[in-house]
Amino acid sequence: MTQPAPSAQHNGPDKGTLAGPSDTPPPKPGGGMPALGLRLDVRILSLLGVLAALIVVGGITEPDAFLDTGNLQLILTQASVIGVVTVGMTFVIISGGIDLSVGAMVALASVWATTLATQEYGFAGIAFTAVIVGLAAGLVNGVLIAYGGMVPFIATLAMLASARGLALQITDGKTQIVTVDSVLDLGLPDSYILGIPPLVIMFAVVTVVGWLILNRTTFGRRTVAVGGNAEAARLAGIDVRRQRLYLYLLSGLCCGIAAFMLIVLAGSGQNTNGNLYELDAIAAAIIGGTLLSGGRGTIVGSVLGVLIFTTITNIFALNNLQSDVQQIAKGAIIVAAVLVQRRTMRGRET
């Protein structure tokens, strides 16, 4: 029997290869742009357009205050803390999970890292403790979900309650003031690099690393595969349980980093830190294009979502609008984003 030519034997992708978020769909006949890539570009451009419109609104309503360099630095700094949390949340949601405990983990890490005993070890002690506490809380979530078989909603809800309670117990309801000068100095203008606050640089680094992990590594491709179809991912050789454990560890790590950033920003640790961070992070990821059902999402979109929400809050504050109006506006944006997602998914199915 005649053997097929070598080129025919090796033509096409290897078995078991999984498409990741960075893979390019096959082009349409006639050289047209792939539909998925076009939708992605349109979504990112739309978010940039919304952000630009908000900047214009801020410049018109409060030109002197909004466009002031100090205010723009403040917007970026405030976006940095929740932005780091959102990067971790994006990975979890892409995998088909959810993490309702991120705000409570930030609170727990911040108060544990600002106790008198911890502050005796200086800058390194505070930073190390914040990260380790975040990782430990993420590990508990991951073990309960991946190996305990618990639904992510229930497991992280339990962690939310437990972490908040433990944070309250550590502080006894009191604010823990940071006395380590090297930590406080990071929040001062003298520490800015080319006019950029150090916290913004930390956020940028986390964003770039998150983008590279999601789009340029096997870990990112496995995350998308698990979120798209966990059973198919398992049959393709992916250890789904271990992948989910790693993802909640990643979320905990981001919370630990955010807790340290919040310590620098506030100069203290409080059991109320990170309040409603879980809602803000989920909302930012959703309007950034991450599907709640899993299988798709972008780090860039999530970051733009964070910047949009932070800019809205800043504009409302400058115009002396009440916080309840801000929450209504955020709710309307979330509903609009979900409706757009549903319409997009229906278009893909047809």
Side-chain angles (χ1 to χ4, degrees), residues 37-160:
L38 178 60
R39 275 194 293 269
L40 180 62
D41 291 341
V42 170
R43 177 177 292 278
I44 297 300
L45 289 175
S46 298
L47 292 173
L48 288 172
V50 170
L51 184 58
L54 288 173
I55 293 174
V56 171
V57 170
I60 293 175
T61 57
E62 290 289 339
D64 295 333
F66 181 80
L67 298 177
D68 181 72
T69 301
N71 184 63
L72 296 178
Q73 290 173 335
L74 176 63
I75 292 175
L76 292 176
T77 301
Q78 291 177 337
S80 297
V81 179
I82 185 62
V84 171
V85 175
T86 302
V87 170
M89 181 69 79
T90 300
F91 276 90
V92 171
I93 297 179
I94 289 175
S95 72
I98 198 72
D99 192 347
L100 300 179
S101 64
V102 290
M105 288 194 291
V106 168
L108 179 60
S110 69
V111 300
W112 208 320
T114 54
T115 60
L116 293 177
T118 303
Q119 292 194 50
E120 291 179 357
Y121 294 93
F123 183 99
I126 293 176
F128 178 78
T129 302
V131 171
I132 289 299
V133 171
L135 280 171
L139 176 63
V140 173
N141 279 337
V143 170
L144 291 176
I145 294 168
Y147 295 96
M150 292 187 68
V151 177
F153 181 90
I154 301 300
T156 57
L157 185 62
M159 174 58 71
L160 183 155

Side-chain angles (χ1 to χ4, degrees), residues 96-331:
I98 198 72
D99 192 347
L100 300 179
S101 64
V102 290
M105 288 194 291
V106 168
L108 179 60
S110 69
V111 300
W112 208 320
T114 54
T115 60
L116 293 177
T118 303
Q119 292 194 50
E120 291 179 357
Y121 294 93
F123 183 99
I126 293 176
F128 178 78
T129 302
V131 171
I132 289 299
V133 171
L135 280 171
L139 176 63
V140 173
N141 279 337
V143 170
L144 291 176
I145 294 168
Y147 295 96
M150 292 187 68
V151 177
F153 181 90
I154 301 300
T156 57
L157 185 62
M159 174 58 71
L160 183 155
S162 301
R164 284 287 179 194
L166 185 55
L168 179 60
Q169 186 178 49
I170 291 174
T171 61
D172 195 24
K174 301 176 182 178
T175 299
Q176 298 178 164
I177 303 299
V178 177
T179 59
V180 180
D181 292 336
S182 56
V183 173
L184 298 175
D185 289 345
L186 283 179
L188 300 177
D190 292 340
S191 65
Y192 290 6
I193 301 174
L194 300 178
I196 303 175
L199 297 186
V200 177
I201 296 176
M202 292 175 63
F203 175 37
V205 171
V206 171
T207 298
V208 171
V209 172
W211 185 90
L212 290 173
I213 292 175
L214 181 61
N215 294 277
R216 294 293 183 265
T217 68
T218 302
F219 183 88
R221 290 191 290 273
R222 288 174 177 172
T223 299
V224 175
V226 170
N229 190 323
E231 181 61 19
R234 186 186 66 80
L235 294 176
I238 296 176
D239 190 332
V240 175
R241 294 191 299 178
R242 185 172 61 185
Q243 184 70 16
R244 285 174 174 160
L245 173 64
Y246 288 162
L247 287 165
Y248 282 95
L249 274 173
L250 177 61
S251 179
L253 172 63
C254 289
C255 288
I257 296 173
F260 176 74
M261 296 169 67
L262 193 57
I263 291 170
V264 173
L265 186 62
S268 63
Q270 304 177 55
N271 65 287
T272 56
N273 282 345
N275 188 34
L276 297 181
Y277 272 19
E278 56 276 359
L279 299 183
D280 288 342
I282 293 171
I286 291 174
I287 71 169
T290 302
L291 292 181
L292 274 175
S293 57
R296 196 185 77 187
T298 68
I299 297 297
V300 174
S302 296
V303 169
L304 289 174
V306 170
L307 292 175
I308 287 173
F309 275 134
T310 307
T311 304
I312 289 174
T313 301
N314 183 265
I315 292 174
F316 281 14
L318 291 177
N319 286 276
N320 297 319
L321 296 177
Q322 297 180 355
S323 59
D324 55 349
V325 180
Q326 299 179 28
Q327 298 304 321
I328 293 173
K330 287 183 179 180

Side-chain angles (χ1 to χ4, degrees), residues 331-341:
I333 292 174
I334 295 172
V335 171
V338 172
L339 291 176
V340 170
Q341 279 191 2

Side-chain angles (χ1 to χ4, degrees), residues 5-14:
S7 58
Q9 290 178 341
H10 300 285
N11 186 23
D14 295 334

